[in-house]
Amino acid sequence: MSVVPYKDDAAGKKSQVAQMFNSIAGKYDFLNHFLSAGTDIYWRRKAVNELKELRPARILDIATGTADFAIESLRLSPETKVTGVDISEGMLDVGRRKLTEKGLANRIQLELGDSENLPFPDNHFDAVTASFGVRNFENLQKGLAEMQRVLRPGGKVVILEFSKPTAFPMKQAYNFYFRHILPVFGKLISKDRAAYTYLPESVQAFPDGQNFLAILTQVGFKNPTWQPLTFGISSIYTAQK
């Protein structure tokens, strides 16, 4: 059974995830930076650097949320607008306001869309990215297969996702923080306890590391790589089509 935010709700994971992000959208950026002590900014920058050599003209950012990764990807100077898709209208609204404030609305296009049923043709994008989003897919393999479908041959996927540290003492410190500290601050600030209880539960359930590389291969990606960051708290995964 997949991990869901609201355990007493009969709705499927996809609709629950949309509901959860709609609920916390206004506080999401602040909590992201606060709860990670700003490390999430460094992680995104490092993930975008994986695309420097490719110099992609067309970039699709999956589960774009408030568009932080899409904004970071502008450092690659793509020839066309970066496209971001997300199932949460609340997150997209925050993202659109951010783009307007930064004067970037003409460089990034945000669309409501289901990552497991992307509204784009085959072989369309040079690069497909996802930052802390694939963990929330209702059907992980289907979502990854869609990313592979819309990527052009020779294109590259870059996925940034939480992972589980394995070495002492980081493993113990990480687990304590995720289970006891993060949910308390998450509830206080976002007023949605389920969202920040779901986060550690979804990380624990996610098939990270070599297991995720195996899934990327199963759906058709080539040359998958895995790069742990910050003692294994998060990881960058790359692969080609």
Side-chain angles (χ1 to χ4, degrees):
M1 183 178 177
S2 64
V3 174
V4 294
Y6 307 107
K7 295 174 178 59
D8 296 329
D9 193 329
K13 181 174 180 177
K14 194 176 298 184
S15 61
Q16 286 201 34
V17 166
Q19 176 188 343
M20 177 190 75
F21 281 113
N22 285 337
S23 169
I24 67 173
K27 301 291 186 180
Y28 180 82
D29 282 345
F30 171 77
L31 278 165
N32 238 12
H33 305 325
F34 174 72
L35 294 172
S36 73
T39 315
D40 63 306
I41 299 169
Y42 158 76
W43 291 337
R44 287 190 189 87
R45 187 170 299 131
K46 197 164 181 63
V48 165
N49 285 344
E50 294 291 326
L51 293 170
K52 271 188 174 180
E53 190 175 331
L54 182 66
R55 299 178 65 185
R58 291 182 177 178
I59 301 173
L60 172 65
D61 187 39
I62 299 288
T64 195
T66 62
D68 273 350
F69 201 95
I71 291 169
E72 188 67 30
S73 71
L74 292 177
R75 289 195 295 109
L76 301 168
S77 301
E79 295 174 7
T80 62
K81 277 188 178 183
V82 173
T83 303
V85 296
D86 202 281
I87 59 170
S88 167
E89 190 62 66
M91 294 284 276
L92 292 174
D93 284 344
V94 174
R96 290 185 185 110
R97 288 199 296 272
K98 188 191 301 184
L99 294 179
T100 299
E101 290 167 5
K102 292 177 177 289
L104 298 174
N106 64 329
R107 299 186 65 192
I108 297 174
Q109 179 175 326
L110 301 182
E111 301 179 12
L112 187 67
D114 179 358
S115 301
E116 297 170 37
N117 295 283
L118 294 170
F120 307 109
D122 296 355
N123 309 315
H124 187 66
F125 293 97
D126 302 301
V128 179
T129 63
S131 170
F132 307 113
V134 300
R135 190 184 73 257
N136 299 317
F137 288 173
E138 190 166 67
N139 184 322
L140 178 59
Q141 287 196 336
K142 186 177 180 184
L144 294 175
E146 273 291 271
M147 294 168 74
Q148 197 266 357
R149 178 185 67 79
V150 302
L151 190 65
R152 67 160 174 81
K156 189 172 185 178
V157 63
V158 176
I159 295 170
L160 176 62
E161 189 51 87
F162 285 114
S163 48
K164 300 179 281 290
T166 57
F168 177 86
M170 180 54 69
K171 176 181 178 180
Q172 288 72 20
Y174 173 85
N175 287 337
F176 180 82
Y177 177 76
F178 251 39
R179 291 171 182 169
H180 302 290
I181 306 298
L182 184 145
V184 172
F185 279 101
K187 180 187 178 182
L188 281 173
I189 297 170
S190 75
K191 310 304 181 186
D192 188 330
R193 178 175 179 79
Y196 289 89
T197 302
Y198 164 77
L199 175 57
E201 290 175 349
S202 65
V203 172
Q204 286 298 319
F206 184 71
D208 62 345
Q210 293 292 343
N211 293 324
F212 189 64
L213 296 185
I215 298 172
L216 288 172
T217 300
Q218 287 170 18
V219 301
F221 283 110
K222 301 173 184 175
N223 308 315
T225 68
W226 164 39
Q227 180 184 356
L229 302 174
T230 317
F231 307 104
I233 293 174
S234 69
S235 294
I236 296 172
Y237 302 92
T238 69
Q240 282 85 33
K241 178 172 178 178

